[in-house]
Amino acid sequence: MSKQMTEMLKGTLEGIVLAILSGRPAYGYEITARLREQGFSDIAEGTIYALLVRIEKRGLVDVEKVPSEKGPPRKVYSLNTQGREYLDEFWRTWGFLAERLEQLREGGG
């Protein structure tokens, strides 16, 4: 992954993870696997776990501990009302930025 891609992802990864959780609850490894399926193959699991801790502390997700066949219980994250509101704002901001960037790319800036 290029340095430029890494820097851009830093600002958007939270929204991407919340978008994944908007579909259905998931635990950390599932989220990492979904990201990899989407082509984000270089994102380390540790990065996702640190992000999950942050969004949990900010109250954007609800967490349920679910028994695991292997090892300790898994923390399953689900988007709550506050998280949905944050995600809606993320998409509005993304749309605004994407429009402006497209205009600049087309020479209209």
Side-chain angles (χ1 to χ4, degrees), residues 4-5 7 17 20-21 25 32-33 41 51 55 59 72-74 77 80 90 94 99 104:
Q4 187 177 45
M5 174 72 84
E7 290 300 314
V17 169
I20 287 171
L21 291 174
T32 303
S41 55
L51 186 148
I55 63 176
R74 289 182 174 148
Y77 299 85
N80 60 25
F90 172 84
W94 181 262
E99 282 179 26
L104 287 169

Side-chain angles (χ1 to χ4, degrees), residues 35 38 42 45-46 51 66 70 76 79 95 98-99 103 106-107:
L35 287 166
Q38 297 294 320
D42 292 339
E45 261 183 83
L51 186 148
V66 177
K70 302 173 186 173
V76 176
L79 203 57
E99 282 179 26
Q103 288 172 0
E106 293 172 358

